[in-house]
Amino acid sequence: MPTMPFFPRFYSVLPKSNRFDYLLIKNNRRKARKNNLSEEVNRMKSKPVHPIRDIYPWKNKQQFVDHLAENVIYNKDGLIAINKPYGVPLLKDGLIKGPNEMMFSIEEALTPLASLLNVEKLLPAKMVEKFASGVSLFASQEKMVDKIRQSYITNKAKKIHTFKYLAVTIGEPKPSSSRGTVGMGFFEHQGIEGKLLAIMKDYSNRKVADGLVREFRVNYKTLSRGDEPCSLVEIDVSSAKKHFLRVYLAHLFSPILGDHIFGNRVQEIMGKRLAISPLQADNLSIFQKIPAGILTRLKVTESCIVPNCLHLSQMTLAKFASQDSDLVLKADPPPCFQYICQTFGLDLPTDESVVLTRE
């Protein structure tokens, strides 16, 4: 039946016997539209959300705070360890740039989170970088911050690798495993402003003393090789400052998947993955040029939405529990990281969240 517009003049000239039918038809159609809309909303709710497109599932600040509280992996004697979500900064660094940017920061969640955890306050002690996930430390009092710093000093003196990371890489590191000390400095080129971070093959102790080269103790190995050009790599490292892991893995011909800073330093040229100059690579594109085959497997079309696949899975605090035992904190990767590993057949290690080790 054709739609009848509801004009007063049109309605007034209808016979009384037809007026009731007219209103009934309009009411039924209104109910039908409402039911169809409800069904569409239910279909949208029941449809699985792509893990990469749902990195930030929180609709408001309270949901974000609740998520942090649910991801507490240690809370004892003033030390709180949280499995920080990917993409969450300590401080807001400006306006939200797009749908792939996080709306909330750790700083604005500290007060309500402290209330949920029944502590007076929360002080950030050690945070994993914004575009990474994993173990992050907070203290409820200043003396706990000092105790954490003392553990770092003990780690350095005893040559204990404080951090253990998991990374999904494009390609496999060459060699597939290694242990040693690595120097990172600056790649300088005549005619360019600024300096580009790069791994130094040869450097002097004087450059280390002068701060031109920083040394990192590293022990890495390939845990799993996927059925596409992706690998799961585990890296024990003394420090991850200055984007060291991003630079180092790119140096090993296996940039981190989703590394939109240094990820273009290896490119596929005539069927082979080759290293290109940092000067050329870091200006090649705003985002990592991820091979089309990988994007297809991940069911995405744009490289820009693929997250930096770097997760701090373990942190060791030497002599923290007592003079003869270390505290080892562990955290599982987030859903998007697990999805990527599952997609490429990469086997994740399984561990307990907290371990006490004795000397």
Side-chain angles (χ1 to χ4, degrees), residues 159-287:
K159 296 185 177 180
I160 295 174
H161 292 175
T162 305
F163 309 104
K164 178 178 287 186
Y165 281 85
L166 293 174
V168 176
T169 63
I170 301 176
E172 182 181 355
K174 296 180 182 179
S176 60
S177 62
S178 182
R179 176 195 297 266
T181 300
V182 178
M184 184 175 73
F186 295 102
F187 173 86
E188 298 184 29
H189 190 277
Q190 186 176 6
I192 66 168
E193 296 182 3
K195 299 176 180 179
L196 304 176
L197 291 170
I199 300 302
M200 302 286 104
K201 295 182 179 180
D202 298 305
Y203 57 90
S204 64
N205 292 332
R206 170 55 60 186
K207 286 193 173 184
V208 176
D210 292 342
L212 299 176
V213 172
R214 180 165 184 164
E215 291 186 317
F216 299 80
R217 296 191 309 276
V218 186
N219 176 18
Y220 75 85
K221 60 182 177 181
T222 302
L223 293 181
S224 183
R225 301 173 183 84
D227 48 9
E228 277 282 341
C230 287
S231 300
L232 179 64
V233 182
E234 180 183 82
I235 315 104
D236 288 316
V237 64
S238 58
S239 173
K241 291 183 177 180
K242 303 294 184 182
H243 298 303
F244 169 70
L245 291 177
R246 296 176 184 244
V247 177
Y248 185 49
L249 286 168
H251 174 76
L252 298 173
F253 297 92
S254 55
I256 298 173
L257 176 63
D259 178 4
H260 302 298
I261 302 178
F262 303 100
N264 285 325
R265 292 190 174 187
V266 178
Q267 292 294 317
E268 186 169 318
I269 301 174
M270 298 183 68
K272 294 184 178 180
R273 293 192 62 77
L274 302 173
I276 63 176
S277 165
L279 178 62
Q280 179 184 359
D282 293 356
N283 293 283
L284 185 64
S285 171
I286 297 177
F287 302 105

Side-chain angles (χ1 to χ4, degrees), residues 79-93:
L79 173 66
I80 296 95
I82 295 177
N83 188 359
K84 185 191 82 72
Y86 170 87
V88 177
L90 174 59
L91 306 172
K92 280 188 177 178
D93 55 2

